[in-house]
Amino acid sequence: MDWVKEGVFFMQKYGKLISVFLIIMMLGSCLSGCGAAAGTGAEGSTVSSTNTEADGKTGEEAQGNLPEIIARAKEDSNFNEEGYPLVNDTVKKTIMIRKPGNIGDVNEMETLRYIAEKMNIEIEWIVVGADGWNERINLMLATNDLPDIIMKGAIPNLSTAIEDGQVIAVDELMDAYSDGIKPLLEEYPGVAVSARASDGKLYTLPGINTLKPNLTSHRNLWINKQWLDNLNLEIPTTTEELLDVLRSFRDEDADGDGNPNNEIPYAVEDSGAGHTARVDIISGLFGLYYNLDYENIKLEDGKVSFLKNTDEWKEVLQYMNVMYKEGLLDNEVYTQTGDSSIGKISSGNCGVFGLSSDDLFTTVSDQYVALAPVKSPNGKEPVIQLASNSMGSNTFITAADETPWVSFRFLDYFFTEEGSMTIGCFNEDLIGITCQKYDDGTWDYTDEMLHDERGVAVAVGDACPLPGGGFGYWRNEKNSNYIYSAKVQENVPVWEPYYQKDPVYGTPLFDSDTQKKVDAIRTDLDVYVSECQAKFITGEMSFDAWDDYCTTLKSLGVDDLVSYYQAYYDSLS
């Protein structure tokens, strides 16, 4: 029969392949069964441990399922789950750290040396300047050439890095091993809300700031009282009076050195090399401020709107245009380096500037007093905008880390009371090196640091990595002398009545699809807004072009962008 012949032919031609296929199927079934018993290697999966003699764990530990990453940690005989050192035999970690202009060489910092020795880890530092951070980290992610840890710097496209599996979630490590960040996140839940990704997981150890005067992010104004006295001027209380005072600083040899042309009436601190005029300081005088950690977004009475296309914002830029054209605002704001901005302020040759503390001008701090926000003609109450308790997502453990449990305990240390004090220079073992302890139990830096001719902040920046912001740790009143000095504490009552009173929301972590849409809009929009803002201030762009500017904003997707932020805000409630 034909069908028999065809069947014989088929088996002769394909019989061997069918046999191999059947064998593979049977082997796969066996291996599948073995795999189910032993567990999997995927992140977030679980393994069951029942043989307490084989794995050396107690019966209590062996019961139930363990997250895969915790099971691996428990199998690491070199790792200590409690106490210090973290490991018995030294482990090497590569750490990429962002270096602003106001910290020194991390390889020479006594605090980091002490902590590394305490933990028994060897650190290979990859140091990247603030100016080149984004370019370097984007290249690193594109080539997948990852360090073990990223510190003191944000990942520009964090959602993509998460989606690509380049940074790991720390929730399970936090539940198992945290003595520091977990209780703080429970006390300040808003930090966790803003730091969690759209999948609900935490991929960063966000810095936590409980030092309220520092939440102003350099929006506190200081004025040179010595110059006021030299010129017999009163402290200004309105925006017009402020302009008049700045004009006097410019024209009347305010410092009394015989040269009326070397004073800087209004300076801008830019240690982070943002090349910005810090419009958010002046906008507060007009009662305007942003929210959701995005400088172009306004949140008022639960409604999200775009800030930079309003008539109120135009008024702010017109005011700053007057400051710039008349030489009252430092005309180098868009070109100065971080170091040069620090040098100007620390010189004492500036009339007014915004800073949260006196850390950058300690050697001349006697010249300055707090300036309460002056009132504008628009009728709005002045406000000093506050940041959230979150200092941002700037600390990550990458997928390249072979022992992430070691890295987590190392990073978590900075959120403990001991660790947050130590990284701030204060530890019994560092007395005489970075600190001193007074009879009343309070701490301070060494006399050498306090009287450093460069200023105490520079000296602190040589000893620890905290100046310049971005370091993942717990900032509080006990460990922040360089930014919460007696001078600052004395002046806080001047600023405090103007602190932002409505809730502060941190950076949204959208789901990856929404984040891509947000990024697609913001890529062009943010650049356009920033460029036009600078052009309006410098006069390169006439305010006659304001309507065209607003029309272009609309074409760049402002309405869609606002809808994404509104949806995020609505989801919080």
Side-chain angles (χ1 to χ4, degrees):
M1 294 187 236
D2 290 341
W3 66 270
V4 173
K5 291 179 181 179
E6 289 172 3
V8 171
F9 175 78
F10 182 89
M11 290 301 296
Q12 287 174 340
K13 186 172 183 178
Y14 298 104
K16 290 183 179 179
L17 289 174
I18 292 172
S19 300
V20 170
F21 176 76
L22 291 171
I23 290 170
I24 291 172
M25 290 294 289
M26 288 187 288
L27 284 172
S29 176
C30 293
L31 291 172
S32 169
C34 294
T40 72
E43 184 179 337
S45 59
T46 60
V47 295
S48 178
S49 176
T50 55
N51 187 346
T52 58
E53 293 182 0
D55 63 20
K57 307 300 179 185
T58 67
E60 182 180 354
E61 289 174 327
Q63 291 175 357
N65 293 329
L66 291 173
E68 184 267 347
I69 196 169
I70 304 304
R72 287 169 55 205
K74 290 181 177 296
E75 290 169 359
D76 182 357
S77 60
N78 190 45
F79 173 57
N80 297 317
E81 294 184 300
E82 296 178 345
Y84 305 104
L86 301 179
V87 288
N88 300 318
D89 296 325
T90 304
V91 169
K92 184 177 182 179
K93 294 288 181 182
T94 57
I95 302 179
M96 181 175 173
I97 187 168
R98 172 182 166 274
K99 183 187 180 301
N102 45 0
I103 67 169
D105 183 352
V106 293
N107 290 288
E108 301 299 324
M109 290 182 181
E110 296 291 350
T111 53
L112 291 174
R113 281 180 177 176
Y114 173 81
I115 292 169
E117 183 177 342
K118 179 183 181 73
M119 305 292 169
N120 197 20
I121 61 174
E122 176 188 343
I123 300 176
E124 178 185 343
W125 292 103
I126 303 170
V127 181
V128 182
D131 282 325
W133 176 262
N134 283 355
E135 181 181 357
R136 178 69 179 274
I137 199 164
N138 282 334
L139 177 63
M140 179 199 73
L141 292 167
T143 59
N144 208 38
D145 183 18
L146 304 172
D148 296 316
I149 296 169
I150 297 169
M151 268 186 167
K152 206 172 166 69
I155 295 177
N157 298 304
L158 179 55
S159 293
T160 301
I162 291 172
E163 193 174 77
D164 292 344
Q166 292 179 303
V167 293
I168 71 166
V170 299
D171 303 77
E172 293 164 344
L173 292 168
M174 182 170 68
D175 287 340
Y177 300 122
S178 177
D179 296 318
I181 194 169
K182 184 179 179 180
L184 283 171
L185 291 179
E186 290 170 351
E187 186 174 355
Y188 299 95
V191 176
V193 168
S194 63
R196 290 193 182 280
S198 58
D199 62 5
K201 295 180 181 178
L202 198 62
Y203 291 87
T204 179
L205 282 77
I208 298 175
N209 188 357
T210 61
L211 180 61
K212 193 163 186 179
N214 184 248
L215 296 176
T216 61
S217 301
H218 302 325
R219 298 182 186 97
N220 299 338
L221 286 173
W222 297 86
I223 190 167
N224 197 320
K225 183 65 163 58
Q226 187 176 94
W227 287 9
L228 289 173
D229 292 343
N230 289 348
L231 302 177
N232 295 314
L233 298 173
E234 298 293 326
I235 291 179
T237 59
T238 68
T239 50
E240 281 305 311
E241 288 178 6
L242 177 60
L243 288 178
D244 288 339
V245 166
L246 295 177
R247 288 171 182 134
S248 295
F249 286 170
R250 178 196 63 193
D251 298 335
E252 300 178 27
D253 189 22
D255 63 0
D257 69 349
N259 182 358
N261 301 312
N262 62 353
E263 289 85 356
I264 302 174
Y266 185 95
V268 175
E269 185 276 337
D270 192 26
S271 60
H275 306 296
T276 170
R278 287 302 302 268
V279 184
D280 57 315
I281 298 175
I282 298 297
S283 66
L285 309 182
F286 291 77
L288 302 178
Y289 54 98
Y290 61 85
N291 211 322
L292 293 164
D293 201 29
Y294 179 30
E295 63 180 19
N296 294 330
I297 286 291
K298 178 182 176 183
L299 176 63
E300 190 170 11
D301 298 327
K303 181 176 174 56
V304 175
S305 61
F306 200 73
L307 176 60
K308 302 294 180 69
N309 58 358
T310 62
D311 289 340
E312 295 169 321
W313 192 258
K314 178 182 178 182
E315 187 180 6
V316 172
L317 297 184
Q318 289 173 323
Y319 184 84
M320 295 195 71
N321 172 250
V322 171
M323 292 177 67
Y324 189 90
K325 285 193 306 182
E326 296 191 15
L328 309 178
L329 168 64
D330 181 8
N331 278 197
E332 294 181 351
V333 288
Y334 293 111
T335 57
Q336 66 182 347
T337 65
D339 288 343
S340 67
S341 79
I342 294 171
K344 292 172 185 176
I345 290 173
S346 64
S347 71
N349 200 39
C350 301
V352 178
F353 50 79
L355 272 177
S356 298
S357 67
D358 65 334
D359 60 311
L360 296 183
F361 60 100
T362 50
T363 58
V364 293
S365 64
D366 288 347
Q367 293 179 208
Y368 293 91
V369 295
L371 174 61
V374 298
K375 293 185 178 182
S376 75
N378 71 4
K380 286 180 173 285
E381 279 298 307
V383 64
I384 297 175
Q385 179 180 329
L386 299 179
S388 74
N389 291 111
S390 171
M391 292 194 287
S393 299
N394 301 298
T395 305
F396 308 91
I397 301 173
T398 79
D401 196 330
E402 295 181 355
T403 54
W405 41 91
V406 176
S407 295
F408 178 83
R409 287 206 63 214
F410 165 64
L411 297 172
D412 186 66
Y413 178 70
F414 300 120
F415 294 86
T416 64
E417 184 165 356
E418 177 190 313
S420 66
M421 290 290 287
T422 303
I423 196 61
C425 292
F426 307 127
N427 184 291
E428 296 280 353
D429 294 332
L430 294 175
I431 289 176
I433 302 172
T434 63
C435 62
Q436 57 184 310
K437 192 173 185 180
Y438 299 127
D439 292 340
D440 63 359
T442 59
W443 293 85
D444 211 339
Y445 308 112
T446 63
D447 287 336
E448 182 181 2
M449 294 167 69
L450 291 172
H451 299 106
D452 192 303
E453 62 182 13
R454 302 169 301 166
V456 67
V458 179
V460 172
D462 284 342
C464 78
L466 301 186
F471 193 85
Y473 80 116
W474 174 26
R475 178 181 293 167
N476 57 65
E477 295 181 1
K478 295 180 181 179
N479 63 7
S480 303
N481 293 33
Y482 78 102
I483 53 175
Y484 194 53
S485 65
K487 175 84 173 184
V488 173
Q489 294 176 50
E490 173 188 329
N491 285 277
V492 163
V494 176
W495 302 307
E496 198 166 23
Y498 301 93
Y499 286 167
Q500 176 183 341
K501 294 177 176 59
D502 55 332
V504 181
Y505 297 93
T507 308
L509 268 176
F510 300 104
D511 62 77
S512 59
D513 288 341
T514 303
Q515 187 66 60
K516 288 175 183 176
K517 295 174 184 176
V518 169
D519 291 343
I521 295 172
R522 286 189 56 178
T523 296
D524 294 328
L525 178 67
D526 289 359
V527 172
Y528 181 71
V529 170
S530 179
E531 288 179 350
C532 289
Q533 187 166 273
K535 289 177 180 179
F536 280 128
I537 290 172
T538 61
E540 184 179 342
M541 194 170 180
S542 168
F543 285 98
D544 292 339
W546 183 261
D547 289 342
D548 292 338
Y549 158 75
C550 293
T551 299
T552 302
L553 289 178
K554 196 170 185 66
S555 71
L556 290 173
V558 161
D559 292 341
D560 287 338
L561 185 66
V562 167
S563 72
Y564 298 139
Y565 276 85
Q566 183 71 61
Y568 170 80
Y569 171 76
D570 292 342
S571 72
L572 298 180
S573 56

